[in-house]
Amino acid sequence: MFHLLGIFASTKGMGIYAFLFGKEVAVALTWPGIALFFSGFWTRLIMGAGIDLDITPEERARRMAEEKAREEAQKRKPSEEMLSSGRYLEYGELDYYITEGISNYREKGSKTFEYVEFLYVENGVRYFNRLNWTPPKEMILYKENGQWYCQTTGQERERVLLPEHLEEEKDELEIDKREYLEQAIEYRRIVPYFVEIPSDIDESEIDRE
């Protein structure tokens, strides 16, 4: 649009093109400019289609679920019971695997939820990716003396509350680190930079963010 407006103005002896190159040269740039535009547009179209076709249906569904999870997390609020009792100042909340790939987390003292990605479980510790951070940060969930704690890299740990259903069902929903990495390779999922890759897995096969 900018190019076409510039050419149109050049035919009247006005515009930046006419000012820089003169009216005759500016008019002569009309078709080369249009050809350059369509060349770039076609290249972008082919690249976009190639990238889209290269994504597996499973990964496409996962990305859509992530986007939906972010929207839902932004809409969620602590319960009235939490706010009225003041417990939100003492506890955070974590609800993961609400549906496949969807997890919500609220820091202690915050009234808003964020979407976090559950990665894997290893030696009883559950690992998450806090996507709202730049760059994303690792968060772990573990239980100590009957109390659940979350700790983000570089931050103090905090007590968190988990929904009751996770106390019984979580073991059936979780995967270990090896299965997580195998799925990442198979479905070409991006693995956070902070996840250490075992020596017997070819790191060149892992897509990093």
Side-chain angles (χ1 to χ4, degrees), residues 157-198:
R157 72 175 186 171
E158 63 180 33
R159 295 188 295 177
V160 293
L161 302 176
L162 271 62
E164 292 182 3
H165 71 89
L166 284 177
E167 294 287 344
E168 299 178 357
E169 300 176 4
K170 62 180 183 302
D171 291 340
E172 301 176 6
L173 301 172
E174 296 165 340
I175 59 175
D176 60 23
K177 186 175 185 179
R178 181 161 297 278
E179 186 177 353
Y180 161 71
L181 291 172
E182 289 174 352
Q183 289 185 10
I185 294 173
E186 180 179 357
Y187 300 122
R188 301 192 61 182
R189 294 174 181 167
I190 295 176
V191 175
Y193 69 93
F194 50 73
V195 175
E196 295 184 3
I197 310 299

Side-chain angles (χ1 to χ4, degrees), residues 107-126:
E107 283 188 334
K108 180 180 70 174
S110 174
K111 295 182 180 180
T112 58
F113 285 81
E114 64 176 285
Y115 171 60
V116 295
E117 178 187 19
F118 171 74
L119 302 176
Y120 57 87
V121 59
E122 187 174 44
N123 298 323
V125 177
R126 288 147 185 92

Side-chain angles (χ1 to χ4, degrees), residues 1-206:
M1 289 297 294
F2 176 80
H3 177 70
L4 292 177
L5 290 173
I7 294 302
F8 179 76
S10 297
T11 61
K12 300 181 178 298
M14 301 180 296
I16 187 67
Y17 287 173
F19 175 76
L20 293 174
F21 309 115
K23 179 179 178 180
E24 293 183 0
V25 174
V27 173
L29 291 173
T30 302
W31 291 111
I34 293 175
L36 182 64
F37 167 77
F38 280 106
S39 174
F41 177 78
W42 180 250
T43 300
R44 177 66 185 87
L45 183 65
I46 294 298
M47 289 178 62
I51 292 171
D52 189 58
L53 290 173
D54 197 39
I55 299 175
T56 63
E58 292 83 0
E59 180 62 12
R60 185 178 293 109
R62 180 175 178 273
R63 293 185 182 184
M64 291 177 65
E66 286 184 356
E67 184 59 33
K68 181 181 178 181
R70 288 190 179 93
E71 293 176 358
E72 291 180 352
Q74 291 175 354
K75 295 177 183 177
R76 287 192 64 191
K77 296 180 180 179
S79 66
E80 290 297 327
E81 179 188 358
M82 284 286 289
L83 293 175
S84 61
S85 66
R87 281 187 298 155
Y88 81 100
L89 296 174
E90 185 178 358
Y91 295 95
E93 289 184 86
L94 177 64
D95 192 357
Y96 63 108
Y97 269 96
I98 299 172
T99 61
E100 184 177 356
I102 298 180
S103 308
N104 284 336
Y105 174 62
R106 181 191 60 77
E107 283 188 334
K108 180 180 70 174
S110 174
K111 295 182 180 180
T112 58
F113 285 81
E114 64 176 285
Y115 171 60
V116 295
E117 178 187 19
F118 171 74
L119 302 176
Y120 57 87
V121 59
E122 187 174 44
N123 298 323
V125 177
R126 288 147 185 92
Y127 291 80
F128 295 81
N129 185 17
R130 293 190 68 174
L131 299 167
N132 287 13
W133 291 63
T134 304
K137 285 197 172 186
E138 179 183 65
M139 181 179 75
I140 60 174
L141 170 71
Y142 60 95
K143 197 171 189 178
E144 185 178 291
N145 298 325
Q147 171 64 56
W148 287 100
Y149 293 92
C150 272
Q151 185 166 16
T152 300
T153 301
Q155 289 189 310
E156 295 292 328
R157 72 175 186 171
E158 63 180 33
R159 295 188 295 177
V160 293
L161 302 176
L162 271 62
E164 292 182 3
H165 71 89
L166 284 177
E167 294 287 344
E168 299 178 357
E169 300 176 4
K170 62 180 183 302
D171 291 340
E172 301 176 6
L173 301 172
E174 296 165 340
I175 59 175
D176 60 23
K177 186 175 185 179
R178 181 161 297 278
E179 186 177 353
Y180 161 71
L181 291 172
E182 289 174 352
Q183 289 185 10
I185 294 173
E186 180 179 357
Y187 300 122
R188 301 192 61 182
R189 294 174 181 167
I190 295 176
V191 175
Y193 69 93
F194 50 73
V195 175
E196 295 184 3
I197 310 299
S199 59
D200 59 336
I201 292 182
D202 185 359
E203 190 164 357
S204 65
E205 296 183 356
I206 302 292

